[in-house]
């Protein structure tokens, strides 16, 4: 707008100057000003103003269009094209801008493709690591993938954003990564663990968090890895956190972990059916499990048809 006003003033002065000069000469020649001269001067001034406004607009409108296009690019809307058809330097600027915008769109698409491929590679790597942990204990084979899938569904039920769902997937897969240092004999032991053995097992959340703590893309999953054995009532481990002091991702992974533990064969118990497992999990609501997360878990299980099927069978 400031450029438009400046151009208007410059063009107006340039176009009005001859009229003013002519008027001065007429006044000097005739010794005064009559009505026709005044009318001609006003008409000339009006024409000069109109032509000046048109000229200024023709120059500033393409500039304004380029500015709007630049703002769209700044907002990340790559590929935006400006509609400027002037056959002058401003038209050349618009053509160059449009070419740049298309190139940025192409680079952005390629970056998204590479990032997606990189994330898939990361995911496959951590799945391989989880499989190595599962191989130590045949009773938990597939446990990590099941916990990850269920945790993501619970997160969706709670309306969490995509970033949190990714953290839940990574945390679900790696929540037991700290067990990699626990002897197989302890993991597969069918009799009660000694106090020393229990202390060793209870150290796996802390160890797991330390293992992945230096990996930048897993940073959001670390709280769940460390705190998935914390309890809503504060009686968990390793930090005895309680209530909402426990990270939400950890509360969600905990609920998914409990459900899978109830419905899988373990050295110390046979798998429970959905109805019996739901009953056991229900007793943990408000003590071990966050009530809202427990309710979201049940909603997911109902959507899967597990609880309805169990109810029908009963």
């Amino acid at each position: 707008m400031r450029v438009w006003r400046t151009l208007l003033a410059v063009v107006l002065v340039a176009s009005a100057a001859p009229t003013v000069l002519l008027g001065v000469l007429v006044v000097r020649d005739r010794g005064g000003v009559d009505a026709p001269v005044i009318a001609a001067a006003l008409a000339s001034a009006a024409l000069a103003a109109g032509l000046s406004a048109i000229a200024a607009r023709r120059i500033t409108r393409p500039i304004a269009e380029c500015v709007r296009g630049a703002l769209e690019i700044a907002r990340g809307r790559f590929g935006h094209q400006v509609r400027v058809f002037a056959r002058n330097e401003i038209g050349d600027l618009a053509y160059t801008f449009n070419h740049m915008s298309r190139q940025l769109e192409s680079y952005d698409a390629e970056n998204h493709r590479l990032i997606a491929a990189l994330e898939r590679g990361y995911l496959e790597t951590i799945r391989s690591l989880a499989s190595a942990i599962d191989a130590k204990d045949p009773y938990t084979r597939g446990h990590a993938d099941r916990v990850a899938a269920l945790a993501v569904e619970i997160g969706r039920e709670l309306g969490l954003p995509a970033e949190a769902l990714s953290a839940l997937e990574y945390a679900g897969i790696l929540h037991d990564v700290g067990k990699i240092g626990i002897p197989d004999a302890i993991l597969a032991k069918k009799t009660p663990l000694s106090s020393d053995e229990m202390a060793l097992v209870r150290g796996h959340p802390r160890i797991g968090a330390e293992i992945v703590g230096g990996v930048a893309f897993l940073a959001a999953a670390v709280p769940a890895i460390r705190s998935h054995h914390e309890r809503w009532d504060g009686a968990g481990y390793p930090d005895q956190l309680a209530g909402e002091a426990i990270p939400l991702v950890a509360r969600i992974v905990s609920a998914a972990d409990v459900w899978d533990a109830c419905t899988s064969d373990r050295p110390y118990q046979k798998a429970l059916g959905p109805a019996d497992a739901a009953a056991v999990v229900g007793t943990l609501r408000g003590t071990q499990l966050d009530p809202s997360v427990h309710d979201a878990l049940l909603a997911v299980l109902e959507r899967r048809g597990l609880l309805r099927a169990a109810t029908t069978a009963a």
Side-chain angles (χ1 to χ4, degrees):
M1 194 63 177
R2 291 190 298 271
V3 174
W4 183 85
R5 288 197 296 265
T6 302
L7 286 173
L8 177 61
V10 170
V11 177
L12 183 59
V13 169
S15 59
T19 302
V20 173
L21 179 59
L22 180 61
V24 170
L25 294 175
V26 169
V27 170
R28 181 180 297 176
D29 181 62
R30 295 187 177 184
V33 181
D34 53 19
V37 172
I38 294 175
L42 292 175
S44 177
L47 180 60
L51 292 175
S52 300
I54 292 172
R57 178 62 65 186
R58 284 177 64 85
I59 295 174
T60 57
R61 182 177 293 171
I63 294 175
E65 181 67 18
C66 289
V67 170
R68 283 192 292 271
L71 289 174
E72 291 297 307
I73 295 296
R75 296 185 182 106
R77 295 167 186 165
F78 304 121
H80 179 80
Q81 302 289 288
V82 298
R83 297 175 59 84
V84 176
F85 305 104
R87 295 181 179 275
N88 52 28
E89 288 81 357
I90 296 177
D92 293 340
L93 174 63
Y95 174 82
T96 304
F97 176 90
N98 288 338
H99 177 71
M100 176 197 71
S101 183
R102 288 191 296 268
Q103 289 297 105
L104 287 174
E105 183 180 32
S106 176
Y107 295 149
D108 185 58
E110 179 65 10
N111 285 338
H112 280 294
R113 187 189 67 78
L114 292 174
I115 290 171
L118 187 62
E119 289 180 349
R120 285 194 299 271
Y122 285 154
L123 190 57
E124 290 306 314
T125 300
I126 65 175
R127 284 189 189 280
S128 297
L129 180 57
S131 296
I133 299 167
D134 281 353
K136 289 169 61 66
D137 183 1
Y139 287 96
T140 61
R141 187 152 297 149
H143 170 70
D145 282 336
R146 293 192 298 271
V147 169
L150 183 55
V152 170
E153 286 195 64
I154 295 171
R156 286 200 185 98
E157 182 68 25
L158 292 170
L160 300 187
E163 295 80 4
L165 297 181
S166 293
L168 285 171
E169 184 174 19
Y170 293 149
I173 294 172
L174 291 173
H175 70 284
D176 281 337
V177 68
K179 288 184 178 179
I180 201 164
I182 298 175
D184 298 353
I186 295 177
L187 293 176
K189 190 174 182 179
K190 296 183 179 181
T191 57
L193 301 178
S194 68
S195 59
D196 289 342
E197 292 170 336
M198 182 60 72
L200 187 60
V201 171
R202 288 192 169 192
H204 81 270
R206 176 183 52 79
I207 295 170
E210 290 174 355
I211 289 173
V212 303
V215 184
F217 84 97
L218 292 175
V222 171
I225 295 171
R226 182 179 180 90
S227 302
H228 70 280
H229 279 295
E230 301 289 355
R231 291 172 54 105
W232 186 254
D233 60 10
Y237 60 89
D239 302 308
Q240 291 77 52
L241 302 178
E244 293 188 357
I246 306 170
L248 179 57
V249 286
R251 285 178 262 154
I252 292 172
V253 170
S254 175
D257 189 28
V258 167
W259 175 262
D260 194 72
C262 288
T263 55
S264 303
D265 285 325
R266 296 297 174 94
Y268 47 84
Q269 72 173 33
K270 288 292 185 181
L272 299 176
D276 291 335
V280 171
V281 171
T283 65
L284 303 177
R285 185 182 188 274
T287 53
Q288 181 171 337
L289 303 180
D290 176 350
S292 63
V293 173
H294 168 272
D295 296 345
L297 167 63
L298 293 188
V300 169
L301 297 174
E302 288 175 2
R303 189 164 58 248
R304 286 184 174 185
L306 294 176
L307 298 189
R308 286 196 299 273
T311 303
T312 302

